[in-house]
Amino acid sequence: MARELLKGNVAFAEAAIRAGCEAYFGYPITPQTEALEHMAVRMPELGRTFVQAESEVAAINMVYGAAAAGVRTMTSSSSPGVSLMMEGLSYMAGSEVPAVVVDVMRGGPGLGNIAPAQSDYTQMVKGGGHGDYRQIVLAPASVQELIDHTVLAFDLADRYRIVSVVLADGSLGQMMEGAELPAMRPPRAADASPAWALSGAKERDTNLISSIHLDPDEEERFNHHLQAKYAAIEAAEIRHEEHLLDDASIAVVAFGTAARLVKTAIAGERAAGVAVGLFRPITLWPFPTDALRDLSERVEAILVVEMNMGQMLEDVQRVVAERCPVGFFGRTGGVMPMPEEIAARIRALATQLGAAVSDAPEEVRT
Amino acid sequence: MSVLAPPEPALTPVYSYPDALPHVPTHYCPGCTHGIAHRLIAEVIDEMAAKERTIGVASVGCSVFAYRYFGVDFAQAAHGRAPAMATGVKRVRPEALVFTYQGDGDLASIGAAEILHAAVRGEQITVFFVNNAIYGMTGGQMAPTTLLGQTTTSSPAGRDRATMGTVLRMSELLAQVDGAAYVVRRSLHDVVQIKRAKKAIRRAFEVQEQGLGFTMVELLSSCPTNWGMTPEAALGYIRDEMVPAFPLGDFKVPETRAEAGA
């Protein structure tokens, strides 16, 4: 496939189609609506299902139905819409159906605004719905990764019978950059249905997709089954990127768009002689716990940068414990941290640590 | 002391469980009409030889365990969301006969948006709407269908128009929607009505299979436990109190018999 100039929202929608998504259900919400509009054109063209639902509540329950019937299915939305999906996501976790959700996050709380933010880390990574459940959360930092993560999300969802989330933000959804789409996967054979799916009980026992276990002991056993599955995912599916960390005394931890901005800041600080690198979780759940713990033993300080007020910070603090100091810099409400602001925080940290800095600026406090 | 005669040899059973309703003891209260509704639906599935292509969607309420009783593939939806879930199922399995089974709290209250828009889109599904004018599973609270003046645990002085409104008639409402092809109300309070209800169930499934649009059969039903009545008195309550508030009839049917392929 050739490299093209692609808008993020269109790119992930087309990537989903090429990954074999057979049914899309959605509701308009900025800044992800181009995805819904792309699906409205492309899905009928290919003889696949597109429904504009009456709400995000309905959209996620339509996804639940299509997933229960055994096809690759997805929805996409943005923060306030995703809040409305929490009920459905909990039910889908409780009945172990695979599906993909792309969340193009915006500023909050409440109606907030339509500017880029990382406001849904806690909601998506910790489980905003009720019950002890997890969903795989992938955090792309470019349009190319938005494409690749969407494809990966479908494969992981099917492999583990779990909901996979692609946690993007308004800037990734709206920006255009060069990227390459995957080849179109051949369509699923009409009779290629998972053994557990609802397809009509022909020459087999009836299938049931349900999240109810009225007997508490049975519900507890089911939860233990889920936890065992989650442990298997934690053992096999953690992904992260390390950038210029080999000799670093300072590590910045950031995901998604924030990590991309951090890279720009790091380039400048490296040129100024600051030994700083980036640790970027790509899977936010499962979280790269072991790698981050190892890192915390070899750097002198960690700076967490997010487009929120420190939602991932809590996880970093939990993992790092007292091994090294953890600082934080965040912009929120749809404001993006500029590389210069991030660089100033890195420089201040380096100064505090007494690290060699070739052209130390005036002191900046974090 | 009399001695029972030995059974006649080679007796032919004339009444047994439908194939689509395996012999599973239900959790329903004595005198509840859910059992009748289940049986009618299962009989029609048998008669249409549709057991292997039927997918049901259960709701939340007394019928939450409907999936245990029907011998077909089933999903169990979140409260009120069965029409949305059924939309997802039917859109990707258009060859299946898809139905939801919902009570009045589920359908007319928390699921009002989902049922309305399933009808607006003309989803090719059949909805069985069991209306007993009360929340059964949670112990008898007021529903949108509770009669004016009816006492429930959350309207202990009777439903008051000034602060609680009055009955929501879903069949009449949904019949206004262009996407609805077949919307009728029947009752389960006596044998004649039960036979009419079964015909409506059959017709609704046929209209679904003809792809004419959204179909719903509302079934006026009893709740002796939460109404605080004997089963027999509860059937009388349907006849004398519910039917006047919820008139029986056909609110939307396919325009011509030919169109319905009848």
Side-chain angles (χ1 to χ4, degrees):
Chain A
M1 292 283 133
R3 220 171 139 75
E4 322 166 52
L5 191 61
L6 291 166
K7 186 170 191 170
N9 285 333
V10 172
F12 82 71
E14 183 61 28
I17 288 168
R18 296 183 184 201
C21 178
E22 291 181 53
Y24 174 93
F25 307 91
Y27 185 86
I29 183 169
T30 310
Q32 68 76 51
T33 305
E34 294 89 348
L36 173 123
E37 290 171 340
H38 185 77
M39 289 302 202
V41 174
R42 287 282 283 152
M43 295 296 267
E45 250 175 33
L46 295 164
R48 304 184 193 180
T49 297
F50 167 85
V51 178
Q52 180 174 327
E54 64 270 27
S55 66
E56 288 90 348
V57 175
I60 196 68
N61 282 284
M62 291 173 189
V63 169
Y64 186 16
V71 306
R72 284 196 158 183
T73 182
M74 75 173 296
T75 186
S76 57
S77 188
S78 180
S79 311
V82 169
S83 294
L84 283 174
M85 294 183 180
M86 288 300 137
E87 172 194 65
L89 292 172
S90 172
Y91 275 71
M92 291 163 81
S95 49
E96 296 192 275
V97 296
V100 170
V101 177
V102 180
D103 179 3
V104 184
M105 296 181 285
R106 59 188 242 186
L111 195 53
N113 56 39
I114 59 173
Q118 295 180 326
S119 48
D120 297 359
Y121 180 94
T122 302
Q123 174 163 260
M124 284 312 221
V125 174
K126 302 298 177 180
H130 57 286
D132 296 311
Y133 76 92
R134 292 290 191 183
Q135 42 204 16
I136 293 170
V137 182
L138 298 160
S142 65
V143 171
Q144 186 63 58
E145 276 195 342
L146 193 49
I147 291 168
D148 297 344
H149 287 182
T150 301
V151 176
L152 176 63
F154 277 106
D155 292 341
L156 293 176
D158 280 352
R159 189 177 308 157
Y160 295 103
R161 288 184 62 180
I162 195 169
V163 171
S164 294
V165 174
V166 178
L167 197 62
D169 65 68
S171 63
L172 283 174
Q174 292 297 320
M175 82 161 77
M176 293 186 82
E177 63 178 333
E180 191 174 335
L181 285 161
M184 181 76 85
R185 286 196 196 175
R188 176 183 62 92
D191 56 353
S193 188
W196 49 262
L198 307 181
S199 58
K202 191 171 187 179
E203 291 155 11
R204 61 160 171 78
D205 290 340
T206 55
N207 282 342
L208 169 67
I209 297 295
S210 164
S211 62
I212 189 169
H213 301 282
L214 205 57
D215 172 15
D217 290 329
E218 185 190 318
E219 181 73 273
E220 188 181 46
R221 277 194 298 278
F222 174 71
N223 268 286
H224 286 157
H225 156 74
L226 284 183
Q227 292 301 317
K229 177 169 88 172
Y230 299 155
I233 295 170
E234 285 181 312
E237 304 298 348
I238 289 173
R239 289 163 172 81
H240 78 282
E241 180 197 359
E242 297 196 6
H243 172 70
L244 302 177
L245 282 176
D246 287 347
D247 64 338
S249 54
I250 296 172
V252 182
V253 182
F255 68 95
T257 294
R260 198 162 167 175
L261 295 161
V262 166
K263 274 189 182 175
T264 304
I266 285 174
E269 290 309 287
R270 277 275 169 184
V274 179
V276 57
L278 168 70
F279 182 94
R280 177 170 74 101
I282 293 173
T283 50
L284 299 179
W285 191 87
F287 193 72
T289 301
D290 291 348
L292 181 58
R293 188 184 298 115
D294 292 348
L295 177 70
S296 68
E297 282 168 355
R298 49 180 221 266
V299 295
E300 291 174 50
I302 282 175
L303 176 68
V304 177
V305 176
E306 298 183 71
M307 285 152 58
N308 59 49
M309 289 311 288
Q311 297 188 23
M312 181 180 67
L313 174 64
E314 293 179 8
D315 278 330
V316 175
Q317 287 170 329
R318 169 178 59 83
V319 171
V320 172
E322 304 298 323
R323 287 183 198 86
C324 71
V326 176
F328 176 72
F329 175 60
R331 298 300 302 268
T332 188
V335 180
M336 295 171 74
M338 290 295 104
E340 306 77 54
E341 298 177 291
I342 298 166
R345 265 62 183 191
I346 294 169
R347 188 71 65 95
L349 200 53
T351 305
Q352 282 171 20
L353 293 171
V357 177
S358 58
D359 59 342
E362 65 273 32
E363 191 182 346
V364 181
R365 297 202 177 275
T366 49
Chain B
M1 191 179 187
S2 63
V3 176
L4 288 173
E8 294 280 331
L11 285 178
T12 308
V14 294
Y15 190 82
S16 58
Y17 274 78
D19 277 352
L21 197 70
H23 192 167
V24 177
T26 76
H27 70 292
Y28 297 121
C29 299
C32 169
T33 45
H34 269 308
I36 297 171
H38 281 25
R39 181 174 176 106
L40 297 181
I41 294 165
E43 284 179 354
V44 170
I45 291 170
D46 278 8
E47 288 165 16
M48 295 176 70
K51 186 170 170 291
E52 294 181 341
R53 59 190 159 88
T54 300
I55 300 174
V57 181
S59 60
V60 173
C62 286
S63 55
V64 68
F65 294 121
Y67 61 80
R68 287 182 180 170
Y69 310 135
F70 287 97
V72 302
D73 274 7
F74 242 94
Q76 205 293 309
H79 199 17
R81 319 294 177 227
M85 197 174 183
T87 296
V89 172
K90 180 71 178 190
R91 290 291 185 116
V92 303
R93 296 233 177 253
E95 73 287 356
L97 190 65
V98 176
F99 75 90
T100 72
Y101 189 103
Q102 303 174 255
D104 44 304
D106 190 90
L107 182 144
S109 188
I110 197 166
E114 284 77 15
I115 193 69
L116 177 64
H117 287 276
V120 168
R121 291 188 304 270
E123 294 297 342
Q124 316 283 337
I125 62 172
T126 296
V127 173
F128 297 114
F129 171 33
V130 177
N131 178 3
N132 59 11
I134 205 160
Y135 280 79
M137 185 61 107
T138 46
Q141 295 76 35
M142 183 179 68
T145 44
T146 292
L147 304 184
L148 204 57
Q150 185 179 344
T151 56
T152 71
T153 61
S154 58
S155 60
R159 186 173 185 174
D160 170 30
R161 184 194 294 268
T163 57
M164 305 168 192
T166 184
V167 292
L168 177 57
R169 296 180 184 87
M170 290 303 295
S171 288
E172 287 86 335
L173 179 72
L174 295 175
Q176 306 303 310
V177 176
D178 289 349
Y182 183 73
V183 179
V184 302
R185 183 182 291 120
R186 299 290 185 266
S187 178
L188 300 176
H189 70 262
D190 67 25
V191 175
V192 170
Q193 300 303 328
I194 288 167
K195 287 187 151 185
R196 287 180 183 161
K198 183 176 171 183
K199 281 183 187 161
I201 291 164
R202 172 85 190 226
R203 189 78 198 287
F205 274 149
E206 287 170 353
V207 171
Q208 179 188 157
E209 295 216 309
Q210 288 153 8
L212 299 179
F214 173 87
T215 56
M216 184 173 91
V217 180
E218 178 177 348
L219 299 166
L220 299 186
S221 301
S222 69
C223 184
T225 299
N226 289 305
W227 290 354
M229 296 178 195
T230 64
E232 190 182 4
L235 296 177
Y237 185 83
I238 300 178
R239 182 189 61 231
D240 300 334
E241 305 294 335
M242 284 190 70
V243 170
F246 296 101
L248 306 182
D250 298 354
F251 300 97
K252 188 79 174 281
V253 294
E255 279 177 14
T256 65
R257 299 289 290 176
E259 188 187 342

